[in-house]
């Protein structure tokens, strides 16, 4: 039995593990996060875990950074001081055998008009992210830049088709299903490779004015947040409150050009899963708060 199966038997155990992983991402400790995830995936030794481990960071590339630099340089308004960027899946994808699901990149560019990015340190940015709606949400500049993410299609498709995306703790189980642990770890591995791609571009290709870069994912299970500076190569992400990860999609407003997103937790379930989900919904005391990135993008 995998160690995480007993830990995830309770919701409290899973929540504690998730908070620790979010802290690593928020602090920019991506190498440490990779070590933790790699060890857990290796111990799992499943087809999907091996797929994750074969996906190296060098195989995932975020393109469009050079175009972004040119767009910022040529912007005629106030200086661009921040970029919010995330990946998302489309809803208009057929779940057919052999179909590949390519995640898309969403972004928004901002000035200091509604939030003083230039004068704020990263702790201040994270503090603003903890607000219900960050001050800059909905005020992105009218600048079009095409981004794309290469290298995640295979893993992303496997996660969208995974058979154990839910774990209902009926009767206080002693262990979580191994396939559920596999799904959780693989979702975090996808998040890791995405954040590494963003962080690598920030370090290798400085942008004019060294804008703040806030990175995350929309409705892809993990909402770990990274705040970077696209300035000098020596600069690294700084610590952030774990609660920031729950608040990351209001930073993009309704005026942002966006796609309909595919929420991975909403893929059709079996009859028994639907019955259990219905009971859980009826028992809920209050509606679940939208994730940060979903609110930033007006989802």
């Amino acid at each position: 039995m995998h160690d995480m199966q007993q830990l995830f038997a309770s919701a409290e155990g899973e929540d504690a593990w998730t908070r620790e992983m979010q802290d690593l991402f928020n602090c920019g400790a991506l190498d440490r996060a990779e070590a933790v995830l790699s060890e857990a995936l290796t111990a799992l030794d499943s087809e999907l875990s091996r797929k994750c481990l074969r996906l190296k960071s060098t195989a995932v590339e975020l393109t469009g950074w050079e175009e972004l630099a040119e767009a910022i340089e040529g912007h005629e308004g106030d200086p661009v001081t921040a970029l919010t960027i995330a990946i998302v899946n489309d809803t208009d994808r057929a779940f057919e055998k052999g179909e590949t699901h390519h995640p898309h990149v969403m972004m928004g560019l901002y000035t200091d008009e509604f939030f003083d990015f230039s004068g704020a340190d990263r702790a201040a940015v994270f503090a603003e992210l903890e607000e219900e709606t960050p001050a800059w949400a909905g005020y992105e500049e009218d600048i079009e830049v095409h981004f794309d993410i290469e290298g995640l299609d295979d893993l992303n498709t496997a996660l969208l088709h995974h058979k154990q995306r839910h774990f209902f703790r009926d009767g206080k189980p002693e262990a979580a299903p191994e396939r559920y642990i596999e799904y959780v770890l693989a979702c975090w591995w996808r998040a890791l490779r995405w954040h590494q791609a963003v962080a690598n571009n920030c370090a290798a290709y400085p942008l004019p004015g060294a804008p703040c870069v806030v990175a995350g994912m929309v409705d892809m299970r993990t909402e770990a947040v990274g705040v970077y500076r696209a300035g000098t190569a020596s600069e690294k992400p700084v610590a952030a409150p774990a609660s920031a990860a729950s608040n990351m999609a209001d930073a993009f407003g309704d005026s942002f050009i966006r796609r309909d997103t595919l929420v991975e937790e909403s893929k059709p379930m079996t009859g028994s899963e639907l019955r259990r989900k219905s009971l859980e919904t009826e028992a809920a005391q209050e509606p679940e708060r939208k994730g940060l990135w979903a609110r930033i993008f007006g989802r």
Side-chain angles (χ1 to χ4, degrees), residues 88-100:
V88 60
N89 282 311
D90 282 349
T91 54
D92 57 347
R93 293 298 185 97
F95 283 91
E96 299 178 359
K97 187 175 181 179
E99 183 77 14
T100 298

Side-chain angles (χ1 to χ4, degrees), residues 5 26 33 72 80 83 90 123 128 160 228-229 252 275:
Q5 289 181 254
N26 294 343
I72 292 176
V80 171
L83 160 71
D90 282 349
E128 186 63 26
L160 288 173
Y228 312 91
R229 282 283 177 184
F252 294 82
R275 287 192 293 274

Side-chain angles (χ1 to χ4, degrees), residues 221-289:
R221 174 97 189 183
T222 55
E223 290 203 348
V225 181
V227 173
Y228 312 91
R229 282 283 177 184
T232 61
S234 61
E235 197 163 8
K236 294 183 178 181
V238 297
S243 56
S246 68
N247 194 24
M248 191 113 200
D250 279 323
F252 294 82
D254 293 335
S255 60
F256 183 74
I257 299 174
R258 56 187 183 271
R259 304 171 184 268
D260 290 330
T261 59
L262 176 57
V263 182
E264 293 186 11
E265 294 298 319
S266 299
K267 186 178 177 181
M269 295 181 282
T270 65
S272 61
E273 287 178 332
L274 286 170
R275 287 192 293 274
R276 290 175 182 174
K277 192 66 174 178
S278 176
L279 290 174
E280 287 187 351
T281 301
E282 292 174 2
Q285 296 300 312
E286 59 184 33
E288 183 179 355
R289 186 188 188 195

